[in-house]
Amino acid sequence: MHESVEQRVATGLAAVRGQIAFFHEHFGRAESEWKHDGTRVTHADHAISRALCDEILNAFPGDEFFSEETEAGTRAVPMRARFAWIVDPIDGTNNYALGIPVCAISLALLEDGVPVYGFVYDCGLRTLFHGGPGRGLFADDAPIARAVSDSRHEKVVAVHTPISATHHALVTRLISGYKLRAYGSGALHLTYVSLGRLDAALDLTVRVWDIAAAYAFCAVTGVGVCFLDAEVFPMREFDVHMKPVRYLAGPSEILDRLEAAVRETGAGAGNG
């Protein structure tokens, strides 16, 4: 891995670790507000976003930093720097505010618009997962590999709700062959698929900041990610109002079956 990436990885790790105590201090206690799109936000979201931005840009002032908590009136911003960072300071804010420990800090480092390293702090496991192609995957400081899938008949697929009527036929089809689970954190959905803790993900309403970090994990463990619309990476601009990302993820044998179900139910490209 190039030295400049190594330096940024060290800074990203220190920055996320520096927010963990604050994250837990306000877990289940943070007062909620509601954003322009009707989603929940807390003062902890804003505070963690600002702190990560300040620490990273102080170290690398030529980098770009983008956050889910960008002000609602901000227009799309072209991504011009070689290195950019994208954060969802609390992914799963509903869970976080309600004291449900399925939530995470999600930070991604992009080089030329493609995630090359991810950092996901898992609240429930109290573990910082991090890694990227060419470096490996870690749980805190310990190297880890993707768990080998067992031979259980029913596979577990993570989904994100609500699900529009456009996709009801697809979901109905999947219910008969898979156990569907909606945990409320897009970052953890894809992280757990990359780790082999879930078999696959079918997420139809997430945003790029939810999955950018875990996308780098998938590149390490060989999990395929199939976008149902245009390819998301490399990113050329950041827009807080960007459309939801629709994707499938899993090892090839499951991904092939999910892609077939998408085609057969007419839920593919152009139906977002």
Side-chain angles (χ1 to χ4, degrees):
M1 185 179 290
H2 196 280
E3 182 181 0
S4 59
V5 176
E6 292 279 9
Q7 294 166 344
R8 286 168 171 81
V9 167
T11 297
L13 283 171
V16 174
R17 284 171 173 154
Q19 295 305 305
I20 290 173
F22 178 89
F23 180 92
H24 283 287
E25 178 184 353
H26 296 275
F27 172 70
R29 302 182 180 91
E31 193 169 317
S32 297
E33 299 174 356
W34 303 95
K35 296 192 289 188
H36 64 281
D37 59 359
T39 58
R40 189 193 301 260
V41 67
T42 71
H43 73 275
D45 293 80
H46 293 297
I48 292 171
S49 181
R50 286 193 300 269
L52 292 175
C53 180
D54 290 346
E55 185 162 353
I56 288 168
L57 294 187
N58 282 340
F60 302 102
D63 289 4
E64 295 174 322
F65 190 95
F66 303 101
S67 173
E68 179 192 11
E69 304 313 332
T70 302
E71 291 185 9
T74 304
R75 296 182 180 180
V77 179
M79 297 173 64
R80 296 191 174 96
R82 175 184 172 189
F83 292 106
W85 303 76
I86 294 180
V87 68
D88 188 344
I90 301 177
D91 185 66
T93 301
N94 283 324
N95 288 344
Y96 181 83
L98 297 171
I100 300 169
V102 186
C103 48
I105 300 172
S106 179
L107 174 69
L109 170 64
L110 282 65
E111 183 174 11
D112 297 324
V114 178
V116 294
Y117 209 87
F119 313 81
V120 174
Y121 177 72
D122 185 326
C123 176
L125 295 178
R126 291 181 176 260
T127 299
L128 175 55
F129 296 105
H130 59 100
R135 182 174 175 87
L137 191 57
F138 300 83
D140 294 322
D141 296 320
I144 56 174
R146 188 174 195 272
V148 178
S149 178
D150 61 29
S151 58
R152 62 182 179 267
H153 174 65
E154 291 182 301
K155 302 295 186 181
V156 180
V157 178
V159 298
H160 214 84
T161 58
I163 297 173
S164 74
T166 303
H167 301 109
H168 285 182
L170 172 61
V171 174
T172 300
R173 166 81 173 270
L174 296 181
I175 285 173
S176 63
Y178 301 91
K179 289 183 177 292
L180 303 188
R181 297 288 185 268
Y183 296 107
S185 169
L188 292 179
H189 282 179
L190 192 54
T191 294
Y192 290 163
V193 175
S194 74
L195 297 174
R197 299 184 180 203
L198 293 173
D199 295 295
L202 166 66
D203 267 356
L204 304 168
T205 58
V206 296
R207 306 297 175 100
V208 67
W209 47 78
D210 299 319
I211 63 169
Y215 183 88
F217 301 165
C218 292
V220 175
T221 59
V223 166
V225 180
C226 174
F227 294 106
L228 302 186
D229 304 297
E231 289 295 317
V232 174
F233 304 111
M235 289 184 67
R236 300 304 183 196
E237 67 175 21
F238 181 87
D239 185 356
V240 73
H241 301 287
M242 63 179 54
K243 292 182 179 179
V245 172
R246 304 188 307 149
Y247 78 90
L248 305 169
S252 59
E253 64 274 12
I254 299 178
L255 192 59
D256 290 344
R257 295 199 296 271
L258 291 176
E259 288 182 300
V262 167
R263 290 193 302 270
E264 291 165 10
T265 58
N271 291 299

